[in-house]
């Protein structure tokens, strides 16, 4: 076993132990206080998020732009200081990592794997099966279902096995459901698909990923499925079926692209509860809270409303033993997908463009310190 893998397993084991401690407060008070271990887990005001999160036994993560990581010192310093989990925002998607049928572009993800190992972090993978950001050779290839099945199997086998022991968790399938809970029509599902009906294509992808790295945690990931609604109902039914039949699924990623309307938190709470009752982990994978930018800048009121949402969702994750990561989709408003996607919106992250912490940062830190 490689040193980095041993190190990763040790970090995970440490986090799991800490998480259990958090749950069993009586044990924590009686056993650990007596052992004097609490003194080793300080949470000073102003501590970086990663220190606060480690103390609570969860990962605190961010999507990463590898170009900014390389060229922007403020970005690199802030990411290194604050986070213990990173995920490539685009670099591991099918198009970027497999741009030609016979060519893979591993270098950006290899660099990130080295970065996390240098900085005692963990790396999440995103994503193996998606309708978006697929390469032209695939989209325009007029492949049969049998050929697509072989292409997807080979892609998953190649990418997952390359990072076995380095990427601890994968979003195996991303955004496969429509808002009404029906299956999205995609090249992998049914246009033309890989030749499997219903959620069987998703199951197949999980089985291929598990075969390629039996130790990786395998997630289904989606947006607007945080509260109980038709989409999250469909995901829950699939997850329950997979668990009942021994399909290798370990967790559900809740993307958490939110507005200041937030939750409703009670409904998100209920959804996390039913998923974790299945024995699944839940991770927030893409948290951001977009704001209207009427005059180019967020108002003080909107920043306060945003902080309230960040604090509430962080507290919600900490409430559930099997909610194991809070990851934002980037961390600085200098680089965010929001302005390019939602006209007149932005300022969605916890650091401003100059890498100064916003009220949202303080709200997450406060939740982690409780
Ligand atoms: O890399 C090319 C560059 O070579 C080219 O010059 C440029 C011209 O437009 O495009 C660049 O690619 C862009 C890529 O981001 C990298 O910056 C794509 O056009 C752009 O579409 C792509 O957007 C990404 C988007 O997924 C694609 O749907 C966003 O960065 C990324 O944040 C976003 O992430 C998704 C998650 O994967 C899934 N959940 C939703 C989330 C937000 O949409």
């Amino acid at each position: 076993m490689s040193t980095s893998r041993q190190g990763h397993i040790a970090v995970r084991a440490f986090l799991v132990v800490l998480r259990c401690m958090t749950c069993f407060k009586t044990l924590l008070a009686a056993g650990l206080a007596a052992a004097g271990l609490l003194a080793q887990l300080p949470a000073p005001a102003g501590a970086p998020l990663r220190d606060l999160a480690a103390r609570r036994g969860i990962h605190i993560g961010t999507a990463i732009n590898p170009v900014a990581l390389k060229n922007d010192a403020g970005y690199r310093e802030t990411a290194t200081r604050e986070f213990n989990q990173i995920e490539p925002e685009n670099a591991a998607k099918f198009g970027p990592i497999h741009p030609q049928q016979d060519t893979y572009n591993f270098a950006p993800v290899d660099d990130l794997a080295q970065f996390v190992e240098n900085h005692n972090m963990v790396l999440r993978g995103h994503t193996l099966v998606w309708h978006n950001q697929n390469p032209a050779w695939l989209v325009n290839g007029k492949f049969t279902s049998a050929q697509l099945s072989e292409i997807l199997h080979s892609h998953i086998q190649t990418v997952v096995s390359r990072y076995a022991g380095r990427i601890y968790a994968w979003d195996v399938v991303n955004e496969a459901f429509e808002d009404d809970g029906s299956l999205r029509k995609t090249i992998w599902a049914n246009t033309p698909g890989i030749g499997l009906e219903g959620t069987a294509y998703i199951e197949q992808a999980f089985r291929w990923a598990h075969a390629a790295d039996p130790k990786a945690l395998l997630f289904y990931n989606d947006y607007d499925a945080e509260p109980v609604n038709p989409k999250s109902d469909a995901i829950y039914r699939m997850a329950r079926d997979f668990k009942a039949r021994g399909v290798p699924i370990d967790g559900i990623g809740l993307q958490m692209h939110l507005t200041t309307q937030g939750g409703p938190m009670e409904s998100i709470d209920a959804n996390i509860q039913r998923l974790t009752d299945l024995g699944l982990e839940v991770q927030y994978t893409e948290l951001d809270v977009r704001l209207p930018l009427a005059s180019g800048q967020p108002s003080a009121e909107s920043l306060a409303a945003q902080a309230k949402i960040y604090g509430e969702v962080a507290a919600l994750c900490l409430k559930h033993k099997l909610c194991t990561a809070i990851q934002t989709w980037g961390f600085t408003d200098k680089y965010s997908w929001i302005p390019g996607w939602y006209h007149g919106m932005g300022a969605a992250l916890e650091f401003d463009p100059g890498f100064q912490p916003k009220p949202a940062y303080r709200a997450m830190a406060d939740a982690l310190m409780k």
Side-chain angles (χ1 to χ4, degrees), residues 89-90 93 126 130 132-133 174-175 255 257 286 329 337 341:
E89 181 172 353
N90 288 296
K93 292 170 179 174
H126 172 83
W130 195 24
N132 207 346
Q133 279 180 285
N174 193 43
E175 303 174 1
Q255 292 189 9
H257 294 296
E286 305 184 13
W329 204 235
W337 71 294
W341 196 271

Side-chain angles (χ1 to χ4, degrees), residues 315-329:
L316 204 47
C317 180
L318 291 162
K319 177 181 163 188
H320 293 273
K321 181 174 62 155
L322 284 175
C323 184
T324 52
I326 299 172
Q327 177 171 270
T328 50
W329 204 235

Side-chain angles (χ1 to χ4, degrees), residues 174-223:
N174 193 43
E175 303 174 1
F177 290 95
E178 300 283 3
D179 289 349
D180 66 2
S182 63
L183 274 175
R184 189 190 293 271
K185 293 181 171 52
T186 76
I187 190 171
W188 307 118
N190 47 18
T191 57
I194 64 168
L196 295 168
E197 295 290 317
T199 58
Y201 89 94
I202 300 174
E203 173 178 345
Q204 181 63 82
F206 275 82
R207 291 191 185 281
W208 283 333
H210 183 66
D213 181 3
K215 293 194 173 135
L217 298 177
L218 304 182
F219 281 74
Y220 174 80
N221 191 53
D222 216 324
Y223 64 89

Side-chain angles (χ1 to χ4, degrees), residues 134-368:
N134 287 320
W137 69 263
L138 175 65
V139 174
N140 302 326
K142 300 196 178 355
F143 295 110
T144 65
S145 288
Q147 288 170 322
L148 282 173
S149 178
E150 178 47 36
I151 288 167
L152 185 59
H153 186 186
S154 170
H155 176 84
I156 290 175
Q157 162 62 26
T158 303
V159 175
V160 175
S161 66
R162 179 180 183 88
Y163 296 107
R166 303 186 88 187
I167 287 185
Y168 87 99
W170 273 101
D171 289 333
V172 179
V173 179
N174 193 43
E175 303 174 1
F177 290 95
E178 300 283 3
D179 289 349
D180 66 2
S182 63
L183 274 175
R184 189 190 293 271
K185 293 181 171 52
T186 76
I187 190 171
W188 307 118
N190 47 18
T191 57
I194 64 168
L196 295 168
E197 295 290 317
T199 58
Y201 89 94
I202 300 174
E203 173 178 345
Q204 181 63 82
F206 275 82
R207 291 191 185 281
W208 283 333
H210 183 66
D213 181 3
K215 293 194 173 135
L217 298 177
L218 304 182
F219 281 74
Y220 174 80
N221 191 53
D222 216 324
Y223 64 89
D224 287 353
E226 291 83 19
V228 174
N229 61 28
K231 186 189 268 193
S232 67
D233 285 348
I235 293 166
Y236 173 74
R237 282 194 298 273
M238 176 183 73
R240 188 179 55 188
D241 168 52
F242 282 9
K243 286 294 283 182
R245 292 188 299 105
V247 178
I249 184 169
D250 299 290
I252 301 296
L254 303 178
Q255 292 189 9
M256 292 267 178
H257 294 296
L258 302 177
T259 67
T260 48
Q261 303 310 304
M265 293 301 157
E266 302 75 26
S267 189
I268 299 177
D269 191 12
N271 190 36
I272 296 174
Q273 186 66 54
R274 67 176 172 172
L275 291 168
T276 55
D277 282 348
L278 294 173
L280 291 167
E281 289 190 27
V282 165
Q283 298 191 337
Y284 298 169
T285 52
E286 305 184 13
L287 173 62
D288 51 24
V289 182
R290 57 189 179 269
L291 301 179
L293 300 178
S295 55
Q297 296 294 328
S299 66
E301 293 75 22
S302 69
L303 288 170
Q306 177 184 59
K308 183 164 179 287
I309 302 292
Y310 268 91
E312 286 175 355
V313 295
L316 204 47
C317 180
L318 291 162
K319 177 181 163 188
H320 293 273
K321 181 174 62 155
L322 284 175
C323 184
T324 52
I326 299 172
Q327 177 171 270
T328 50
W329 204 235
F331 58 90
T332 165
D333 296 333
K334 188 171 181 180
Y335 307 102
S336 166
W337 71 294
I338 295 287
W341 196 271
Y342 294 98
H343 183 67
M345 307 285 284
L349 293 163
E350 65 269 40
F351 285 89
D352 74 11
F355 306 107
Q356 294 305 306
K358 294 162 59 182
Y361 175 94
R362 192 66 256 152
M364 279 205 291
D366 287 347
L368 288 164

